[in-house]
Amino acid sequence: AQKVTQAQTEISVVEKEDVTLDCVYETRDTTYYLFWYKQPPSGELVFLIRRNSFDEQNEISGRYSWNFQKSTSSFNFTITASQVVDSAVYFCALISNRDDKIIFGKGTRLHILP
Amino acid sequence: EADIYQTPRYLVIGTGKKITLECSQTMGHDKMYWYQQDPGMELHLIHYSYGVNSTEKGDLSSESTVSRIRTEHFPLTLESARPSHTSQYLCASSRTGRTEAFFGQGTRLTVV
């Protein structure tokens, strides 16, 4: 069975603090892809990043960074120097070769307090 | 930049009415999806399509139906709306293969 777990339902941090959103996945497939999406209050899901299972290199994009570790089946997302505009719901997701559907975690609601 | 559009953005409708939620994409994507999002944030896949004339039911049972007559268009229909259908509905599309999906802005449906 495939599954994505985001254990943190809701997180609040003060602006400028760093925050890490956890994502743990389960899949029997050796080839799969992981994603992160952001859902701001406007409602649209915005694609942030895709990683394939053969590429464990960490990725950095501005204040955002992602840590992919196959050994722990985790794909964590860190926001450095958080800003109020980062307040949103963040979803981790998985798709594998065996299943053609994207499986989403339940999301983490992030509040950045001014 | 995603080019996927949903209309209407907001809809309040009475019980028993028939409604169609529109979704169109201009990216030429073969795969399209409908998700229902409950107030607790969780996304539930209710329908998907691999291409024209292909429709499949998702993981969450839904009384809605979909059609895929054209590549760019994937409307969702409720024959008789009920208060339990009140939710946010999100449409998405993706290229063939294991790639990311791009989402529309959603339709927030309220059935009174």
Side-chain angles (χ1 to χ4, degrees):
Chain A
Q2 302 197 113
K3 190 177 179 181
V4 176
T5 301
Q6 295 180 254
Q8 304 150 309
T9 303
E10 200 157 350
I11 301 174
S12 294
V13 300
V14 176
E15 197 173 17
K16 298 183 185 175
E17 287 185 358
D18 299 346
V19 58
T20 295
L21 308 182
D22 297 332
C23 173
V24 174
Y25 62 92
E26 294 175 31
T27 180
R28 292 180 188 168
D29 292 329
T30 55
T31 303
Y32 52 89
Y33 297 85
L34 297 162
F35 312 97
W36 274 96
Y37 285 85
K38 174 182 180 180
Q39 187 177 35
S42 58
E44 178 182 0
L45 264 80
V46 178
F47 166 71
L48 296 177
I49 190 171
R50 176 181 70 163
R51 278 323 245 190
N52 73 59
S53 52
F54 299 109
D55 184 2
E56 281 194 77
Q57 246 186 341
N58 291 332
E59 176 118 0
I60 298 174
S61 176
R63 295 184 297 107
Y64 294 174
S65 62
W66 291 269
N67 180 254
F68 175 30
Q69 292 195 343
K70 287 176 76 170
S71 60
T72 56
S73 297
S74 65
F75 185 43
N76 296 338
F77 173 29
T78 297
I79 301 175
T80 303
S82 60
Q83 299 176 3
V84 173
V85 293
D86 296 326
S87 297
V89 180
Y90 290 86
F91 290 93
C92 182
L94 162 76
I95 191 170
S96 73
N97 270 355
R98 190 174 309 191
D99 196 341
D100 218 10
K101 296 174 286 186
I102 299 177
I103 308 297
F104 284 89
K106 293 186 178 182
T108 297
R109 188 180 297 277
L110 177 63
H111 301 278
I112 308 298
L113 307 172
Chain B
E1 183 92 7
D3 294 310
I4 179 164
Y5 308 98
Q6 290 186 243
T7 57
R9 286 292 312 277
Y10 303 93
L11 179 62
V12 181
I13 200 161
T15 298
K17 299 291 186 184
K18 178 180 178 179
I19 57 170
T20 296
L21 307 185
E22 301 288 350
C23 176
S24 294
Q25 50 96 4
T26 59
M27 298 173 281
H29 287 169
D30 286 326
K31 291 164 70 174
M32 295 190 75
Y33 316 81
W34 276 103
Y35 287 85
Q36 184 174 340
Q37 186 172 30
D38 59 29
M41 304 183 305
E42 192 168 356
L43 292 158
H44 301 284
L45 180 66
I46 52 175
H47 298 284
Y48 60 104
S49 167
Y50 291 113
V52 172
N53 295 325
S54 153
T55 60
E56 304 281 345
K57 288 196 178 294
D59 302 319
L60 180 69
S61 175
S62 173
E63 294 167 350
S64 59
T65 59
V66 292
S67 62
R68 191 89 184 274
I69 298 172
R70 303 196 319 262
T71 298
E72 62 271 23
H73 196 211
F74 192 41
L76 180 146
T77 298
L78 275 165
E79 290 292 333
S80 180
R82 295 192 280 128
S84 60
H85 296 139
T86 294
S87 190
Q88 161 124 298
Y89 292 84
L90 290 159
C91 180
S93 72
S94 69
R95 288 179 283 116
T96 301
R98 308 316 187 259
T99 68
E100 63 274 16
F102 294 97
F103 283 78
Q105 288 191 299
T107 294
R108 192 169 295 280
L109 172 67
T110 302
V111 183
V112 298

